[in-house]
Amino acid sequence: MRPLLILTWALSMALAQPPRLTTPEEVARVEVIRRALPAVVKVTGILRDPQTGNEGPTNGSGFFYAPNRIITNYHVVQDLRDITVELFDGRSFPAQIFAVDKGIDIAILSVQGVTAPAQLAFGSSQNLPVGMGLVVIGSPFGQRNLASYGILAGVGPTTAEKNDLDPEVGSEIGDLLFTDARIVQGNSGGPVLDLQGRVVGVANATLGDLSGVGGVGVAIPADLVRQSVSDLERFGVPQRGNLGVTLRNLDELDPLLLGRVGLLSTRGAMIEKVEPGGPAARAGLRAAERDSRGRLVSLGDIILAINGRTVRNASEITQTIARFRPGDRVNLTVWRNGRRLEVTVTMIARR
C-alpha cells in the first residue's frame, strides 16, 4: 500500500501546482496582463441613434494614465451622455470628458470618486519591429477584463474608411499600427502593450470583418497619443500643424478643367475654402470660386508637394501637415493659373 500512497500523494501535489509557463514569452505575456488589468476600464454611456432617435447603452475601453484621468477613443465618447467607467473589480464611477482630439480620435476622461488602482506608462512607437508580440486589453462586446495576443503585423498608412459618419475623426493620423491581435467592438480605446508592459498604441478599429475574425486590428501609435495628451493637458486643444483649409481631391474635378490649366495628373488636392486668419490665409493661398449655384468658376490653388515631396491626395496633405508644430515653416509647391509656385506657410497654435 505504501507505494500506492506515495503515488497518490505525488499525483495530488502535481494537480495542486499551477500550470507551468513554458517559455520566456509566455511568462512575460502573463505578467504584462496581470499588471495592466487594474489600470484598464470599461467605458459606458447612453447613445442616441441619429436615424431612429432611439437611445441605448454603448461601451468601449480605456486606461488610467494619471491618478484620475483616462485615455479612450474620441469615437467611443462622441455624443455620449451619462458616461461611467467600470473598474477591473466591478466598481463603477461617473466620468466627464476633459478634452478631445478629434483629429487622431483620442479623448481624455476625468473620473470622480476614485484614484487609479494602477496606471499605464507610454513606451515609444518609433522603429517597432514587425513580428514583435503585442497584448490588447479591453472590453470586447462589453465583456470587461479580456486580453488578446498577437504580433505587430505592420506599420503604415491606410486608405480604408474607419468612420463613415464623421470622416474628420482620425483624419490627422498618418502611420498606424496593424496587428493580428483580436480588436473588436468594445476594444476601442484600450491599451496595446509590448511585452515590457508599455503602451505602444491605443486600440482603434478593425479593418475587414468587424467581428475580428479575419479582420486586421488597427491602433494609434503611442508617440502620437502621448504628444496629444501633453497638448490637451497644457492647452486644452491639440497643437499639430493645420493649414486652415478645406481640400478637394483632383479626381473629383472635371479632367477637362484640369487640362485647361495644364494639369495632366490627379496627384495633389485643390484648396476649396480658406479659413480667415489661418496659416493658409496668412500665406496668401487662394480658394476656389463658385457661382450662386455652386458651380466651379475658377480653381483654387492646387497643392502638389510639401517640402519638395509630392502628395497624392487631400488625406495625405492633412496627415503630412499634422506632423508639424506651431512655429514650423513649411514649403508648399502649388499650381496657380497654369504655373508652379513655391509658398511658405508658418504653422500657428490652435485655439
Side-chain angles (χ1 to χ4, degrees), residues 324-342:
F324 296 99
R325 303 287 288 173
D328 287 348
R329 293 165 61 85
V330 183
N331 187 68
L332 302 182
T333 303
V334 303
W335 191 264
R336 178 189 296 171
N337 297 331
R339 61 194 186 97
R340 189 182 297 257
L341 300 173
E342 301 296 325

Side-chain angles (χ1 to χ4, degrees), residues 54-110:
N54 297 330
E55 291 188 337
T58 187
N59 77 276
S61 302
F63 60 92
F64 281 101
Y65 74 95
N68 67 336
R69 286 191 182 152
I70 287 169
I71 290 172
T72 186
N73 282 153
Y74 169 77
H75 80 257
V76 168
V77 296
Q78 184 180 12
D79 302 324
L80 211 59
R81 64 174 179 83
D82 299 335
I83 300 173
T84 61
V85 295
E86 187 175 352
L87 273 57
F88 78 109
D89 59 7
R91 293 181 295 156
S92 292
F93 297 89
Q96 291 78 37
I97 297 174
F98 172 75
V100 301
D101 185 345
K102 187 175 182 179
I104 66 164
D105 199 9
I106 287 294
I108 297 176
L109 302 181
S110 242

Side-chain angles (χ1 to χ4, degrees), residues 45 88 117 143 269 278 301:
F88 78 109
Q143 180 63 51
D301 286 340

